[in-house]
Amino acid sequence: MAELFDHIDELRRSPGKVAVATLVNTRGTTPRKEGAKMLVGEGGAVLGSVTIGGCVDAQVIEQTEDVLHTMKPRLLELNLGDEEAWEIGLTCGGTIEVFVEPLTADFLERVRAHTGRGGRAAIVTRLDGPVGAKLLVLDDGTSAGTLGDAGLDEPFTREAREAMAAGTSRTLLLENTRAFVEVFAPSALLLVVGASHVSMPLTELAKVLGYRTVVVDGRPRFATRERFPGVDELRIGIPSELVSEYPLVPSTALVLMAHDYKYDLPVLHKALATEVGYIGMLGSARRGAAILKLLSEEGESDAALKRIRVPIGLDIGARSAPEIALAVMAEIQAVRGGGTGQPMSTKPRRQDAPVPGPSRSEPGERSHAAPGSGHPRSEPSDERSHAAPGSGHPRSEPGSRAPLQ
């Protein structure tokens, strides 16, 4: 999410209007999840991607010109052949939907401020009827905007709150109306104890990945801005006391780099009493076994001790400080994303059968592409339904994924 706001700030410094393209639905397996965004400036600047680059992003960029000319949003529906699908990571031919709209930053600025204070937010965007109507829902109980019908605002607000709790963006069909619920959460926190030489590249890499970074240490000569120029917070003091000031929640990764018993033991006791999502400690297997033995003798359970990853990181043959930092961040990402850490080339693949493309659209507001053509064209089509008419039962569109904590 931090990357999105960085891109918005960058394009705002350039003249002209800006369009935002958002991936709202996929059929098939793809490395990009719903909510992936690309910003296109009127002057030609492109930041971000809705897929992984290539022909599909190029088609979306072409469509932004018309969106910026008319200042009207458009839902693009791209039916892909096997070759095109393979280029963007789909296992076979399928359908993706991309919503393109002029950038209006009012709701996004409220989201930025709210998540900056640690809150969660959701923006619900209507995909049919009055296309582009928006509803902002915050986890403090407040909301703003409308989908154009008070009868829709209440059920979609309820679904948005459930999506925020799950941490998953998705397209829903509710009361015969399709809308995309996009969830925004605070940036994940990397909390590092010990201003070591490995901590320096570790925090730099974490910043690239969108983490908020904090380094704590009791040694002023190591915890300096010269060594950590880009870290968000640099704290000097007793680590076990400073760590308690930060949210030790599932989205936080705690890494111990001090290699000092008097730092490690008190911090680990505090961390194991919380739901912090990742606990890793630099050190050999022998030193790790000694630390775990001490923690056990001081009352920590076997189940709690299994949460501590030592030695830290994935095995990539790391030797230098930057390589060790990469191994650590790779393991953190694998834990957060539910990955296995194994090479993608050896990972078993699930072959998804092609699913017929959706058929519902509003004339003049949705673009389609002929299978295998890769070129969108505007045309009206038949009504679509994923629930019994009038049932009011919400249903996630195909392509929804498990939450990323």
Side-chain angles (χ1 to χ4, degrees):
M1 186 184 65
E3 181 183 46
L4 167 63
F5 292 120
D6 289 344
H7 288 170
I8 290 175
D9 290 341
E10 182 174 344
L11 287 180
R12 276 178 169 173
R13 291 192 288 268
S14 303
K17 296 173 286 189
V18 177
V20 182
T22 305
L23 181 64
V24 298
N25 200 18
T26 65
R27 287 168 176 79
T29 56
T30 172
R32 299 309 301 270
K33 67 182 188 300
E34 285 84 350
K37 289 185 182 294
M38 177 169 63
L39 277 70
V40 182
E42 197 171 25
V46 178
L47 296 174
S49 172
V50 293
T51 57
I52 54 174
C55 63
V56 174
D57 278 359
Q59 295 166 38
V60 174
I61 291 170
E62 288 180 5
Q63 293 296 308
T64 62
E65 296 180 8
D66 184 65
V67 169
L68 290 177
H69 176 72
T70 62
M71 292 302 288
K72 293 182 178 180
R74 173 174 296 182
L75 181 63
L76 307 179
E77 183 178 277
L78 302 175
N79 298 316
L80 307 175
D82 287 350
E83 184 175 347
E84 292 171 312
W86 184 259
E87 288 187 18
I88 68 168
L90 295 171
T91 56
C92 59
T95 300
I96 67 170
E97 290 181 296
V98 179
F99 188 70
V100 185
E101 61 187 322
L103 173 65
T104 55
D106 47 351
F107 278 179
L108 286 174
E109 287 302 327
R110 290 188 61 177
V111 166
R112 189 203 305 235
H114 187 70
T115 55
R117 295 190 294 268
R120 291 191 172 216
I123 295 179
V124 184
T125 302
R126 190 164 176 173
L127 302 179
D128 55 14
V131 176
K134 292 183 181 293
L135 176 66
L136 171 66
V137 181
L138 304 180
D139 63 357
D140 62 4
T142 61
S143 62
T146 179
L147 297 178
D149 185 336
L152 293 176
D153 292 344
E154 182 177 349
F156 271 105
T157 295
R158 183 172 59 251
E159 292 298 321
R161 297 199 187 285
E162 292 186 7
M164 282 190 286
T168 307
S169 299
R170 53 182 178 256
T171 292
L172 296 174
L173 179 71
L174 186 63
E175 301 291 348
N176 293 319
T177 298
R178 295 183 76 227
F180 180 60
V181 181
E182 184 172 10
V183 173
F184 298 86
S187 297
L189 172 65
L190 175 68
L191 182 56
V192 181
V193 176
S196 72
H197 65 298
V198 177
S199 300
M200 292 188 287
L202 179 66
T203 53
E204 291 176 1
L205 181 55
K207 289 290 289 182
V208 172
L209 295 174
Y211 285 75
R212 179 170 166 249
T213 56
V214 177
V215 174
V216 302
D217 203 314
R219 303 165 295 178
R221 66 180 296 183
F222 291 103
T224 66
R225 277 294 171 186
E226 287 74 21
R227 287 164 58 84
F228 296 91
V231 73
D232 292 302
E233 291 187 51
L234 190 60
R235 304 288 301 278
I236 300 173
I238 301 174
S240 59
E241 295 179 356
L242 294 176
V243 162
S244 300
E245 298 179 13
Y246 296 91
L248 300 180
V249 295
S251 61
T252 296
L254 174 66
V255 178
L256 288 85
M257 289 285 185
H259 213 268
D260 189 326
Y261 284 87
K262 70 176 183 293
Y263 284 172
D264 296 339
L265 291 171
V267 169
L268 287 170
H269 277 304
K270 287 186 179 293
L272 292 174
T274 71
E275 296 182 349
V276 65
Y278 177 95
I279 305 172
M281 183 170 61
L282 183 69
S284 65
R286 180 178 178 180
R287 181 176 184 272
I291 290 279
L292 297 180
K293 183 174 184 295
L294 288 172
L295 289 170
S296 177
E297 292 171 352
E298 293 175 0
E300 297 294 349
S301 68
D302 290 343
L305 297 180
K306 289 179 180 178
R307 297 175 58 195
I308 303 172
R309 295 170 181 269
V310 58
I312 194 173
L314 298 184
D315 182 4
I316 61 171
R319 296 292 183 271
S320 66
E323 291 169 349
I324 295 171
L326 176 60
V328 173
M329 284 309 306
E331 183 176 57
I332 291 173
Q333 284 298 112
V335 171
R336 289 191 67 222
T340 64
Q342 69 184 101
M344 293 297 293
S345 60
T346 62
K347 183 178 179 181
R349 296 181 181 179
R350 183 188 69 188
Q351 295 297 326
D352 294 320
V355 178
S359 59
R360 178 174 182 167
S361 71
E362 297 296 330
E365 292 181 338
R366 176 174 303 207
S367 293
H368 302 266
S373 72
H375 298 293
R377 65 179 185 272
S378 295
E379 63 176 350
S381 61
D382 297 327
E383 207 52 21
R384 175 190 330 190
S385 178
H386 293 283
S391 68
H393 181 68
R395 178 173 175 179
S396 295
E397 293 290 325
S400 296
R401 287 172 174 72
L404 260 178
Q405 294 298 326

